[in-house]
């Protein structure tokens, strides 16, 4: 499996953010997106996930294998932990939620409504959803927000297991997860330049 991006351009609304983004990933590899706040990491991930159309360039990847986890945890507050995982497993045509419950030790919380979880527990549940998608390309935006140190270690283990199984991960994070097969890409180098024929006030870097 290959995930290839060539000369990609991205906008956020009317704002030109990135231009010329290129990289190639194969099964078992991860890419860590680096850059200061506002450099366009979230914009790029949303573009890769198909949530915003590119302005130029190409993305070559099996769309049915891509899953995106953004800043929101993507959980239903009135449903229990187990019901949330079962809901997403059904959406993605998966049978079991046991691996998801096991990874972040969610069994003691299985029957608790999501609205009664702490911020860290909600994040653990949100990340556990990745394990019930059956998808091999994970696009993750600041996935460790609200996690304590032990949960960050568990998350890094989860990513490593995904890569060992032939998966691919693209992450925007400021934390060193110690991933064995990860490379880094500073997207500041792809900052879009103002277009001569455009409105220069719409070409500020904001994402």
């Amino acid at each position: 499996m290959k995930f290839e991006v060539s000369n990609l351009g991205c906008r956020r609304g009317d704002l030109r953010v990135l231009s010329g983004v290129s990289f190639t990933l194969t099964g078992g590899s991860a890419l860590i997106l680096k850059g200061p706040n506002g450099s366009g990491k979230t914009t790029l991930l949303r573009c890769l996930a198909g949530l915003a159309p590119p302005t130029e360039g190409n993305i070559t990847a099996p769309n049915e294998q891509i899953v995106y986890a953004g800043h929101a945890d993507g959980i239903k507050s009135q449903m229990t932990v187990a019901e949330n995982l079962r809901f997403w497993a059904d959406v993605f045509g998966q049978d079991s939620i046991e691996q998801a419950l096991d990874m972040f030790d969610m069994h003691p919380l299985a029957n608790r409504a999501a609205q009664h979880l702490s911020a860290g527990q909600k994040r653990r549940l949100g990340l556990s959803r990745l394990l019930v998608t059956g998808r091999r390309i994970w696009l993750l935006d600041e996935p460790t927000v609200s996690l304590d140190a032990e949960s960050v270690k568990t998350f890094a283990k989860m990513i490593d297991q995904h890569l060992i199984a032939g998966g691919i991960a693209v992450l925007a994070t400021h934390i060193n997860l110690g991933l064995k097969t990860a490379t880094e890409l500073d997207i500041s180098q792809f900052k879009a330049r103002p277009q001569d024929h455009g409105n220069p006030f719409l070409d500020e870097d904001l994402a």
Side-chain angles (χ1 to χ4, degrees):
M1 182 176 60
K2 181 182 290 188
F3 186 23
E4 186 171 8
V5 173
S6 58
N7 296 314
L8 196 70
C10 305
R11 284 181 179 268
R12 183 186 182 199
D14 290 328
L15 305 173
R16 296 180 66 246
V17 178
L18 299 170
S19 179
V21 180
S22 299
F23 62 82
T24 300
L25 298 173
T26 56
S29 57
L31 183 68
I32 310 296
L33 303 179
K34 294 294 186 179
N37 292 338
S39 57
K41 297 184 295 295
T42 294
T43 298
L44 175 58
L45 285 169
R46 288 179 56 83
C47 189
L48 296 177
L51 299 177
T55 60
E56 60 190 359
N58 296 290
I59 302 171
T60 303
N63 291 333
E64 71 280 1
Q65 290 296 330
I66 294 176
V67 63
Y68 170 72
H71 294 157
D73 292 315
I75 59 180
K76 296 182 179 295
S77 61
Q78 302 299 322
M79 295 170 62
T80 67
V81 166
E83 288 170 343
N84 268 280
L85 291 174
R86 172 51 57 197
F87 170 82
W88 286 109
D90 290 344
V91 167
F92 288 98
Q94 302 298 304
D95 295 325
S96 175
I97 65 171
E98 289 305 306
Q99 183 186 14
L101 290 171
D102 288 341
M103 178 57 67
F104 283 100
D105 192 24
M106 301 295 285
H107 283 283
L109 302 172
N111 296 317
R112 183 178 299 183
Q115 63 185 327
H116 299 310
L117 299 176
S118 69
Q121 290 168 339
K122 288 178 180 177
R123 175 57 62 165
R124 285 158 55 195
L125 174 56
L127 293 174
S128 295
R129 291 185 304 125
L130 295 168
L131 297 174
V132 300
T133 65
R135 298 200 168 187
R136 299 178 65 193
I137 301 175
W138 293 358
L139 307 178
L140 311 175
D141 193 1
E142 297 294 349
T144 60
V145 171
S146 299
L147 293 182
D148 58 26
E150 195 60 35
S151 293
V152 170
K153 292 180 182 178
T154 300
F155 171 70
K157 177 182 176 181
M158 184 177 85
I159 296 294
D160 269 332
Q161 290 179 354
H162 178 64
L163 300 180
I164 290 171
I168 290 173
V170 181
L171 309 88
T173 180
H174 295 288
I175 294 179
N176 181 4
L177 296 172
L179 300 177
K180 300 174 183 177
T181 58
T183 57
E184 295 186 355
L185 181 68
D186 186 347
I187 66 169
S188 301
Q189 63 185 301
F190 302 113
K191 179 179 179 179
R193 296 182 179 181
Q195 292 177 313
D196 293 337
H197 61 277
N199 183 341
F201 296 103
L202 295 181
D203 290 317
E204 296 294 329
D205 183 19
L206 177 62

